[in-house]
Amino acid sequence: MYRTGSENRTLLIVITILTIWLGSQACKKEPIMITDPDPPVNRPDTSTVSANAIHYLALGDSYTIGQSVPESDRFPVQLSARLEQDSFEVAELNIIARTGWTTDELLAGILKADPPDSTYNLVSLLIGVNNQYRGRSLENYQEEFTVLLLRALELAGGRADRVLVLSIPDYGVTPFVSSEEQAQRVGEEIDAFNDAAAQICLAYEVRFLNITQISRQAANDTSLIASDGLHPSGEMYAKWVDLMLPIVKAMF
């Protein structure tokens, strides 16, 4: 179950340590998949919305900000549009994500944005591909993913049933990866990262949604890959939303 009290104090300590660590890492150069950042979605005016409206925060990296697709094709935007088509009121969509972000960089982005606790009644989290790409350890991912999940829970008002974690897609099937040997290694490492995230989500009773198998359909369907040859297309994001939609509707 979701925890408070001493665990929250532990979270604050971990965040402080990570913040200090981020400062020490600022001058280090590491390869990232693509470095061009995208702006977050602006918050709409919520002064006249109903108390039962959905306030959605999407946390992540290029897969959440929708690298190389129009804003309307980003999966958080598609999800919001589908919810509204089904008569749900989406009062707010806020995205904290940037192409190339690792777990620690997403945490730093959340700290910078400083969204208040208990602001959102829907939070999605998708992070980790750049940890794998940069060769960071599984243990490091487990530690930092746990901190991010706890922060997502805080932002969702402590409600584990309002947090949804998506698995890391497998970019090994895209033209970005040229050899079968590399593609196999990428797939195996991403599976290990996803298994770790799924276990952590289970411990905190947070729903973990596996969209990795959908991403692997791109091996035989190029329409699921964006024009950059690496990231998902709007068509693939729509397939993710098909899985997400009944889960999110059941939350409300």
Side-chain angles (χ1 to χ4, degrees):
M1 297 179 66
Y2 176 68
R3 302 167 176 81
T4 58
S6 61
E7 190 166 68
N8 286 340
R9 290 191 291 273
T10 301
L11 171 60
L12 291 174
I13 293 170
V14 172
I15 289 175
T16 302
I17 292 172
L18 283 173
T19 303
I20 295 171
W21 182 85
L22 280 170
S24 70
Q25 298 293 307
C27 296
K28 293 186 177 181
K29 295 183 178 179
E30 295 180 293
I32 59 174
M33 299 172 76
I34 293 180
T35 57
D36 294 333
D38 288 300
V41 174
N42 293 325
R43 299 186 184 188
D45 179 12
T46 60
S47 58
T48 60
V49 300
S50 71
N52 295 323
I54 298 172
H55 296 259
Y56 177 23
L57 173 64
L59 304 173
D61 50 33
S62 59
Y63 295 128
T64 297
I65 201 63
Q67 178 70 39
S68 300
V69 300
E71 180 178 313
S72 60
D73 281 347
R74 298 169 176 175
F75 85 77
V77 178
Q78 289 198 51
L79 176 62
S80 298
R82 292 279 298 277
L83 286 166
E84 290 182 332
Q85 289 173 9
D86 289 345
S87 301
F88 290 84
E89 183 179 6
V90 181
E92 177 180 4
L93 168 58
N94 191 24
I95 298 177
I96 302 177
R98 182 168 292 184
T99 297
W101 269 0
T102 51
T103 44
D104 57 310
E105 291 165 337
L106 174 56
L107 178 59
I110 298 171
L111 290 169
K112 182 177 180 180
D114 194 25
D117 295 352
S118 305
T119 301
Y120 302 94
N121 52 14
L122 174 61
V123 179
S124 66
L125 175 62
L126 168 51
I127 193 69
V129 69
N130 293 293
N131 290 63
Q132 180 278 330
Y133 180 74
R134 298 194 201 183
R136 295 188 179 179
S137 70
L138 179 61
E139 292 75 19
N140 171 258
Y141 176 68
Q142 291 171 312
E143 293 171 0
E144 295 181 357
F145 178 82
T146 300
V147 175
L148 283 167
L149 185 62
L150 288 169
R151 187 70 187 110
L153 285 164
E154 293 288 346
L155 293 167
R159 293 194 58 175
D161 61 330
R162 295 296 175 89
V163 178
L164 179 61
V165 173
L166 279 67
S167 66
I168 304 168
D170 184 358
Y171 68 90
V173 302
T174 71
F176 182 81
V177 176
S178 57
S179 72
E180 291 186 9
E181 181 180 358
Q182 184 186 8
Q184 181 177 354
R185 178 183 60 80
V186 168
E188 290 173 352
E189 291 179 0
I190 284 177
D191 283 344
F193 275 53
N194 282 330
D195 288 344
Q199 290 301 312
I200 294 167
C201 287
L202 181 63
Y204 289 95
E205 299 183 356
V206 170
R207 183 69 177 262
F208 182 85
L209 182 62
N210 191 327
I211 52 84
T212 308
Q213 292 306 114
I214 293 177
S215 73
R216 287 172 173 154
Q217 294 176 15
N220 301 308
D221 186 353
T222 57
S223 70
L224 300 179
I225 304 175
S227 59
D228 63 6
L230 172 60
H231 290 91
S233 67
E235 287 81 1
M236 183 185 290
Y237 285 134
K239 287 178 175 288
W240 297 7
V241 171
D242 286 342
L243 289 183
M244 298 174 70
L245 189 63
I247 296 171
V248 173
K249 288 169 64 175
M251 294 177 180
F252 297 93

